[in-house]
């Protein structure tokens, strides 16, 4: 009960949060230009105004909310045809102007306007609470914080009717913009209570100027904010969560079809980084860098300008550019909604940070707030992230006014980090400096800025490098293709080899993509499909529409035929030996890269079983044992053996291997991924022999052929310039050849993204960390029983630096150096007897 009561009073005290929440929900659900007014005015005015938004802010929200509701109802009239969709495609188009504006004609108007009504109701509740508390004011009616010169510079001298009365009471100056003429004295009291009666007595132009100056003065003046807060850590956490959403839902932030999405692991394994995804990641990373710089500078003007810029850019990108680029609505993309939620949290915290102001003294690091096992483990994880600690130290040095050089700054940070872990870190490097002399700007922004850029470049080097390499790769087309079909490990029954392997034309490439996209429109599985085809150009895809009679006779001995027929038979009720039918294919190339193989091969097998041995639930493809045995024994050239699920249509030739790939969702009623064929025995009869003279000698002049009965791609077309008469045996293959990097990049690119991170980024990180953070290994005494006094000295150094006492900062830092150079003094300062004495 007490908790519920406390929550109730908290809600009454912060009813403006309820108003802001409904404003954000309104825009998140409607996602239109009309609703965009609410988050913009909330993030850029309402949440920032100190100590609270004036009444004019809420009146603007009320007027706009009422106007938007009326406008939405007006555009529902049947006489207005402009916003009436002519089809489902136009109605679903996010860039259709009525959809973009939020004025689409609908049968559920109440559901579209209910959020406007909730905003209006919450604002009236908030206004009622403020009036009850006696703190409701339409304008800033108290200008104590403005100097007389500012007021005189802005305010035009009033006339005798509308005079400005300046009342000085002790040390307090109040300017009340009310009429003091004799004829309106009797209405003064009512005018102050009802702002509507001031319409004839107030110069609104002058009043607007005063209120703007008052808003800006309270915004940037740190002395007026009595309770500054440090909200950088939750702001950073919100940015990191938004970055995590970008990584996990990367395909939602680019032009990728719904059915073609890959997860992050598959994306990294392919070494393919979309440029749009990379740009978004870099933009969010630089946002965190800029926010950190502003936090260190504690500039309220820069923070507000940055807030305005980021709010406008994020809303323009997410609600205008992304729908235009992907043709998807905001409400249909879960990744966009999650991304916007975290950014709303960031904007809210950032606005409250501007409202409360930065704390003047902030000596602790982001993580070194409290001491315990939880923070210790978190800090170890923080140090394990490559270059994160180094980047923070560099930014702190670049953006902080100090007399310390970069070497000394790193040593002080290293001492503080090591003291946090209860170990003794020593910094011995010392050089001569002038007392109280600040480091010049060219040293800070020159050396420090270049090092920051260098670290950023190293961190993003693998992604940038692989992105450049993939865009500048060269083709690796096949020069030949061969395949064979065999059974039981004997000589191939069908052997095909082709040296002319033409690439697709642009028309054929477009037809292939259109058929795949048309087939996959309803498939929601996260397979590669169209995304896989889009990775290749037309010159990288080879189409083979070939006649499939074997190039060679079936060269098999009578003894081998007898052995094969024996193992295929079932004699005396005994099961024959296990036999498989095997299809092998080989792709020949002449690569310009040493990492790519000239010859890559693949194989696929299926079982040869009897129909009587097949279970009811069997789903694996097989070959009928009795039918195959009949063809071999009887030499029947009029029957065909159906072979399903063995011969692939689409072959993916990588640098070092070749595999089959599916481009159509399963199950495919046309069997286009793995074709169905008919295996038939052929024989060329000599002209001087009759049918009665012909003997069944399977090894004497017989050959095999396969004929594809599955649908050809695309649209059932077979394209071969040679005419072989009516109904010939034919088959189709597609070969997708991966592009290879040029010779100057192949050595580095062969490592891949993960390999570059391990071999380049982590190696450099280890060297940098060893040079910067491992100086404590040179300290004689490895442990400090009680480092509290040294930590207090470090905190005092940071405190005097924040107060601008640079001479004292250098003196205290030299004392720290002297302490580390004197083991006897260090033992006295960190001994256990001191802790016992304090206890």
């Amino acid at each position: 009960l007490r908790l519920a009561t406390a929550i109730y009073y908290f809600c009454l005290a912060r009813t403006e949060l309820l108003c802001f929440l409904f404003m954000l929900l309104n825009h998140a659900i409607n996602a239109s230009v009309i609703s965009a007014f609410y988050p913009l005015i909330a993030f850029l005015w309402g949440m920032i105004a100190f100590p609270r938004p004036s009444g004019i802010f809420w009146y603007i929200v009320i007027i706009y909310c009422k106007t938007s509701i009326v406008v939405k109802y007006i555009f529902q009239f049947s006489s207005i045809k402009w916003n009436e969709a002519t089809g489902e495609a136009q109605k679903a188009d996010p860039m259709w102007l009525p959809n973009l504006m939020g004025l689409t004609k609908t049968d559920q108007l109440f559901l579209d306007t209910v959020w406007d009504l909730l905003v209006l109701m919450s604002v009236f509740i908030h206004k009622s609470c403020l009036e009850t508390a006696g703190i409701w004011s339409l304008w800033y009616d108290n200008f104590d914080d403005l100097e007389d010169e500012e007021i005189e510079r802005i305010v035009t001298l009033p006339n005798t009717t509308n005079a400005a009365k300046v009342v000085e009471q002790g040390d307090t100056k109040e300017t009340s913009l009310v009429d003091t003429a004799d004829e309106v004295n009797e209405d003064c009291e009512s005018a102050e209570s009802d702002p509507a009666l001031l319409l004839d007595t107030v110069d609104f132009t002058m009043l607007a100027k005063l209120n703007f100056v008052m808003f800006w003065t309270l915004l940037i003046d740190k002395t007026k904010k009595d309770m500054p807060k440090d909200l950088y850590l939750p702001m950073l956490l919100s940015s990191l969560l938004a970055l995590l959403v970008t990584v996990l839902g990367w395909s939602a932030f680019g032009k990728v079809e719904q059915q073609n999405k890959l997860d992050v692991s598959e994306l990294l394994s392919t070494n393919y980084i979309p440029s749009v995804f990379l740009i978004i990641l870099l933009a969010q990373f630089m946002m965190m860098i800029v926010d950190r710089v502003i936090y260190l500078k504690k500039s309220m003007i820069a923070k507000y300008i940055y807030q305005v810029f980021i709010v406008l850019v994020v809303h323009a990108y997410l609600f205008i550019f992304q729908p235009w680029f992907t043709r998807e609505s905001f409400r249909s993309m879960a990744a966009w909604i999650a991304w916007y939620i975290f950014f709303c949290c960031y904007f809210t915290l950032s606005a409250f940070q501007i409202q409360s102001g930065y704390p003047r003294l902030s000596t602790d690091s982001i993580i070194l707030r409290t001491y315990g096992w939880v923070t210790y483990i978190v800090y170890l994880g923080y140090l394990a992230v490559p270059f994160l600690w180094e980047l923070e130290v560099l930014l702190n040095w670049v953006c902080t006014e100090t007399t310390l050089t970069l070497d000394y700054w790193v040593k002080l940070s290293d001492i503080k980090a090591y003291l946090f872990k209860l170990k003794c870190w020593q910094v011995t490097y010392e050089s001569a400096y002038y007392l109280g002399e600040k480091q010049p700007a060219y040293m800070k922004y020159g050396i420090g800025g270049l090092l920051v850029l260098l670290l950023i470049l190293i961190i993003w080097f693998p992604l940038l490098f692989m992105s450049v390499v993939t865009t500048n790769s060269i083709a690796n087309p096949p020069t030949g293709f061969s395949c064979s079909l065999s059974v039981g490990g004997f000589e191939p029954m069908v052997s095909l080899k082709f040296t002319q392997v033409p690439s697709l034309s642009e028309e054929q490439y477009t037809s292939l993509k259109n058929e795949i996209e048309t087939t996959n429109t309803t498939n929601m599985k996260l397979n590669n499909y169209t995304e896989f085809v889009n990775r290749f150009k037309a010159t990288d895809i080879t189409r083979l529409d070939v006649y499939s009679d074997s190039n060679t006779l079936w060269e098999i001995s009578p003894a081998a035929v007898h052995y094969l027929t024996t193992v295929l038979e079932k004699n005396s009720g005994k099961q024959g030996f296990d036999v498989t039918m095997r299809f092998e294919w080989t792709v020949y190339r002449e690569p310009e890269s040493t990492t790519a193989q000239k010859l890559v091969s693949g194989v696929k097998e299926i079982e040869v079983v009897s129909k009587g041995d097949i279970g009811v639930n069997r789903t694996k493809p097989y070959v009928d044992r009795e039918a195959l045995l009949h063809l071999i024994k009887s030499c029947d050239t009029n029957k065909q053996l159906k072979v399903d699920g063995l011969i692939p249509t689409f072959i993916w030739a990588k640098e070092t291997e070749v595999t089959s790939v599916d481009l159509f969702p399963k199950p495919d009623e046309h069997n286009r991924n793995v074709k169905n064929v008919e295996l038939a025995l052929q024989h060329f009869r000599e002209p001087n022999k009759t049918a009665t003279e012909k003997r069944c000698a399977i090894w004497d002049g017989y050959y095999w052929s396969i004929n594809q009965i599955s649908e050809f791609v695309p649209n059932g077309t077979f394209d071969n310039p040679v005419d072989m008469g009516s109904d010939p045996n034919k088959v189709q293959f597609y070969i997708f050849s991966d592009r290879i990097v040029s010779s100057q990049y192949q050595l580095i690119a062969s490592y891949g993204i993960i390999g570059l991170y391990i071999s380049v980024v982590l190696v450099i990180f280890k060297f940098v960390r060893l040079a910067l953070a491992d100086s404590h290994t040179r300290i004689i005494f490895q442990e400090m029983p009680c480092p509290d006094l040294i930590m207090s000295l470090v905190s005092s150094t940071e405190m005097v630096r924040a107060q601008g006492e640079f001479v004292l900062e250098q003196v205290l830092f030299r004392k720290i150096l002297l302490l580390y150079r004197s083991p006897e003094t260090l033992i006295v300062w960190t001994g256990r007897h001191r802790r016992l004495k304090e206890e």
Side-chain angles (χ1 to χ4, degrees):
L1 181 60
R2 296 178 61 185
L3 178 62
T5 305
I7 294 175
Y8 170 74
Y9 282 114
F10 173 78
C11 294
L12 287 182
R14 301 305 301 268
T15 50
E16 70 274 7
L17 297 180
L18 182 65
C19 301
F20 295 143
L21 176 62
F22 283 131
M23 289 181 186
L24 299 181
L25 289 176
N26 189 335
H27 182 58
I29 293 175
N30 292 323
S32 62
V33 174
I34 293 179
S35 62
F37 171 81
Y38 297 115
L40 295 182
I41 197 174
F43 290 136
L44 303 182
W45 184 2
M47 297 182 184
I48 294 175
F50 179 81
R52 68 186 64 85
S54 61
I56 190 61
F57 169 81
W58 300 111
Y59 270 115
I60 291 175
V61 173
I62 291 172
I63 294 173
Y64 185 85
C65 189
K66 291 180 179 179
T67 305
S68 63
I69 294 175
V70 172
V71 170
K72 288 180 181 180
Y73 272 94
I74 289 176
F75 277 90
Q76 299 303 313
F77 292 158
S78 58
S79 58
I80 300 177
K81 303 296 184 181
W82 166 73
N83 60 337
E84 187 174 350
T86 58
E88 292 296 330
Q90 188 181 42
K91 187 176 182 180
D93 186 7
M95 298 309 295
W96 183 43
L97 190 56
N99 281 339
L100 186 63
M101 297 297 296
L103 299 175
T104 309
K105 188 171 293 186
T106 177
D107 297 332
Q108 299 177 345
L109 181 60
F110 176 76
L111 296 179
D112 292 342
T113 58
V114 66
W115 294 102
D116 295 298
L117 297 174
L118 288 176
V119 171
L120 194 61
M121 181 184 65
S122 62
V123 172
F124 279 125
I125 293 175
H126 175 65
K127 179 176 178 294
S128 175
C129 293
L130 292 184
E131 288 177 345
T132 303
I135 55 176
W136 171 262
S137 177
L138 180 61
W139 307 88
Y140 286 109
D141 57 355
N142 192 333
F143 300 96
D144 298 350
D145 300 304
L146 295 182
E147 300 294 338
D148 294 337
E149 294 79 4
E150 296 179 356
I151 298 177
E152 292 176 359
R153 179 167 47 87
I154 298 172
V155 179
T156 305
L157 292 178
N159 53 30
T160 57
T161 304
N162 299 324
K165 180 181 179 181
V166 180
V167 182
E168 295 193 7
Q169 300 175 354
D171 295 334
T172 305
K173 302 188 296 291
E174 294 185 356
T175 302
S176 301
L177 300 174
V178 297
D179 197 322
T180 59
D182 295 338
E183 60 272 15
V184 294
N185 282 338
E186 57 188 12
D187 297 330
C188 262
E189 184 176 356
S190 60
E192 291 178 356
S193 61
D194 188 358
L197 298 179
L198 291 175
L199 295 176
D200 297 332
T201 61
V202 176
D203 186 350
F204 283 96
T205 303
M206 176 267 295
L207 189 59
K209 292 180 180 179
L210 281 175
N211 278 269
F212 174 77
V213 173
M214 188 66 183
F215 170 78
W216 189 255
T217 302
L218 294 175
L219 177 69
I220 64 177
D221 194 350
K222 300 178 182 179
T223 60
K224 302 298 187 299
K225 301 177 180 182
D226 52 351
M227 295 183 62
K229 299 180 179 63
D230 190 354
L231 301 176
Y232 177 75
L233 186 58
M235 284 193 297
L236 179 63
L237 181 60
S238 300
S239 300
L240 291 176
L241 291 175
L243 184 66
L244 181 63
V245 171
T246 306
V247 173
L248 297 180
W250 69 272
S251 56
F253 296 91
K255 199 170 185 178
V256 181
E257 299 294 337
Q258 180 70 22
Q259 67 272 17
N260 304 324
K261 297 179 181 179
L262 301 173
D263 57 27
V264 179
S265 60
E266 293 177 348
L267 179 66
L268 295 178
S269 63
T270 58
N271 294 331
Y272 173 71
I273 302 299
S275 57
V276 177
F277 174 54
L278 181 60
I279 291 173
I280 296 174
L281 285 180
L282 286 174
Q284 291 185 250
F285 185 77
M286 294 309 299
M287 283 173 54
M288 291 186 283
I289 296 296
V290 173
D291 201 14
R292 177 67 180 176
V293 171
I294 296 175
Y295 170 77
L296 294 172
K297 289 293 186 181
K298 294 180 172 56
S299 174
M300 300 305 300
I301 298 178
K303 181 62 177 176
Y304 183 73
I305 295 175
Y306 180 70
Q307 173 87 347
V308 173
F309 174 76
I310 292 299
V311 168
L312 294 178
V313 168
V314 168
H315 283 83
Y317 166 76
L318 195 57
F319 295 98
I320 297 179
F321 176 77
Q322 275 292 100
W324 169 80
F325 187 67
T326 61
R327 294 296 170 179
E328 296 286 347
S329 63
F330 174 79
R331 288 175 289 185
S332 63
M333 304 298 289
W336 295 1
I337 297 175
W339 196 72
Y340 184 65
I341 289 174
F342 290 124
F343 261 100
C344 283
C345 296
Y346 170 79
F347 293 147
T348 302
L349 293 170
S350 181
F352 288 154
Q353 181 72 84
I354 297 173
Q355 183 190 57
S356 62
Y358 287 110
R360 185 178 179 183
L361 300 179
S362 180
T363 58
D364 287 336
S365 176
I366 309 171
I367 301 176
L368 302 182
R369 304 287 185 182
T370 58
Y371 302 99
W373 284 105
V374 176
T375 53
Y376 179 73
I377 295 174
V378 171
Y379 190 66
L380 290 180
Y382 161 76
L383 293 177
V385 178
F387 295 111
L388 188 57
W389 182 82
E390 289 79 4
L391 187 60
E392 181 193 2
V393 171
L394 279 175
L395 284 175
N396 291 348
W397 183 74
V398 171
C399 302
T400 304
E401 298 295 334
T402 180
T403 60
L404 303 181
T405 63
L406 180 59
D407 290 339
Y408 279 171
W409 184 276
V410 172
K411 290 177 182 179
L412 183 63
S413 302
D414 190 24
I415 290 174
K416 184 176 181 180
Y418 193 71
L419 290 175
F420 178 78
K421 296 184 294 183
L422 299 179
K423 293 180 181 179
C424 198
W425 291 13
Q426 181 184 16
V427 178
T428 58
Y429 183 76
E430 180 182 9
S431 58
Y433 300 99
Y434 292 104
L435 193 63
E437 181 183 4
K438 295 192 299 183
Q439 291 297 310
Y442 70 89
M443 288 289 294
K444 292 162 57 64
Y445 294 100
I447 298 178
L450 289 177
L451 289 176
V452 170
L453 292 178
L454 180 61
L455 287 182
I456 295 175
L457 180 62
I458 294 174
I459 293 172
W460 292 97
F461 168 75
L463 297 181
L464 291 172
F465 179 79
M466 294 307 299
S467 179
V468 172
V469 166
T470 52
T471 55
N472 297 322
S473 57
I474 57 178
N476 186 26
T479 58
F481 177 76
S482 64
C483 61
S484 62
L485 181 68
S486 60
V487 61
F490 295 95
E491 289 296 319
M493 305 168 69
V494 178
S495 179
L496 303 174
K497 186 173 183 179
F498 311 96
T499 57
Q500 295 181 353
V501 281
S503 300
L504 291 183
S505 63
E506 291 296 333
E507 293 78 9
Q508 292 174 328
Y509 180 67
T510 304
S511 300
L512 176 63
K513 290 199 301 182
N514 291 339
E515 180 165 352
I516 296 175
E517 291 174 356
T518 304
T519 307
N520 296 332
T521 51
T522 59
N523 182 58
M524 301 302 293
K525 295 181 179 180
L526 298 177
N527 294 326
N528 42 16
Y529 299 136
T530 313
E531 177 63 21
F532 176 81
V533 178
N534 290 333
R535 289 176 50 194
F536 299 90
K537 299 180 180 179
T539 56
D540 301 328
I541 305 176
T542 300
R543 175 180 173 181
L544 294 174
D545 289 347
V546 294
Y547 300 108
S548 51
D549 294 321
S550 178
N551 295 343
T552 60
L553 298 175
W554 195 23
E555 300 177 352
I556 187 170
S557 65
V561 172
H562 176 69
Y563 178 81
L564 178 60
T565 55
T566 301
V567 298
L568 290 176
E569 288 177 342
K570 288 184 176 181
N571 296 326
S572 303
K574 295 182 179 180
Q575 176 70 38
F577 297 102
D578 292 336
V579 181
T580 60
M581 183 168 286
R582 180 185 182 95
F583 181 77
E584 300 181 63
W585 64 90
T586 304
V587 179
Y588 305 89
R589 301 173 299 188
E590 294 294 335
E592 299 182 9
S593 173
T594 57
T595 59
Q597 297 182 1
K598 293 185 177 181
L599 186 147
V600 287
S601 301
V603 63
K604 192 172 183 180
E605 292 182 336
I606 58 174
E607 294 179 330
V608 179
V609 296
S610 300
K611 287 187 176 181
D613 299 330
I614 300 173
V616 178
N617 299 325
R618 180 183 178 92
T619 58
K620 294 182 179 180
Y622 67 95
V623 177
D624 188 356
R625 180 191 294 264
E626 287 78 12
L628 176 61
L629 179 63
H630 172 75
L631 282 179
I632 296 175
K633 294 184 67 176
S634 63
C635 301
D636 191 351
T637 59
N638 296 321
K639 291 187 178 181
Q640 293 81 28
L641 174 65
K642 189 176 181 181
V643 180
D644 300 338
L646 177 61
I647 304 177
T649 301
F650 306 102
I651 298 173
W652 183 8
K654 306 177 184 179
E655 284 191 4
T656 58
E657 61 179 349
V658 60
T659 59
S660 60
V661 63
D662 294 342
L663 296 186
F664 295 90
K666 297 180 180 180
D668 181 18
E669 60 181 1
H670 301 291
N671 299 315
R672 290 166 290 186
N673 292 322
V674 182
K675 60 177 68 66
N676 298 339
V677 298
E678 291 180 343
L679 180 65
L681 185 65
Q682 310 288 338
H683 185 262
F684 182 78
R685 183 183 304 163
E686 295 182 1
N688 57 351
K689 289 186 178 181
T690 63
T692 56
E693 297 174 336
K694 174 179 175 292
R695 294 191 316 158
C696 177
I698 194 69
W699 56 87
D700 183 17
Y702 283 86
Y703 64 95
W704 297 82
S705 65
I706 55 176
N707 183 37
Q708 179 175 335
I709 58 178
S710 299
E711 181 179 341
F712 287 79
V713 179
N715 304 321
T717 58
F718 179 83
D719 185 13
N720 194 307
V722 180
D723 186 9
M724 295 295 292
S726 60
D727 196 20
N729 297 318
K730 53 186 180 295
V731 71
Q732 182 185 63
F733 297 97
Y734 278 89
I735 303 175
F736 296 84
S737 301
D738 271 350
R739 301 178 73 88
I740 58 177
V741 298
S742 57
S743 56
Q744 59 267 30
Y745 300 129
Q746 62 184 8
L747 179 61
I748 303 178
S750 60
Y751 289 96
I753 295 178
I754 305 299
L756 285 177
Y757 264 107
I758 296 176
S759 60
V760 177
V761 177
L762 289 181
V763 171
I764 299 176
F765 156 70
K766 288 296 183 182
F767 277 106
V768 174
R769 180 61 59 83
L770 181 63
L772 299 180
D774 288 341
S775 58
H776 64 276
T777 57
R778 296 185 293 271
I779 299 178
I780 300 176
F781 304 101
Q782 294 289 326
E783 295 183 1
M784 294 183 182
C786 182
D788 295 344
L789 289 180
I790 303 180
M791 297 175 67
S792 177
L793 188 58
V794 174
S795 300
S796 300
T797 305
E798 296 177 342
M799 186 177 299
V800 297
R801 181 199 308 130
Q803 293 177 344
E805 300 291 340
F806 298 114
V807 175
L808 189 56
E809 176 201 9
Q810 200 164 18
V811 171
L812 291 177
F813 181 71
R814 289 184 179 276
K815 287 185 177 181
I816 296 176
L817 293 181
L818 179 62
L819 182 64
Y820 272 87
R821 292 174 59 194
S822 175
E824 294 82 2
T825 310
L826 191 63
I827 292 175
V828 173
W829 276 54
T830 60
R832 295 184 182 274
H833 65 279
R834 184 170 295 275
R835 177 185 297 175
L836 296 175
K837 182 178 179 180
E838 292 176 355
E839 293 177 354

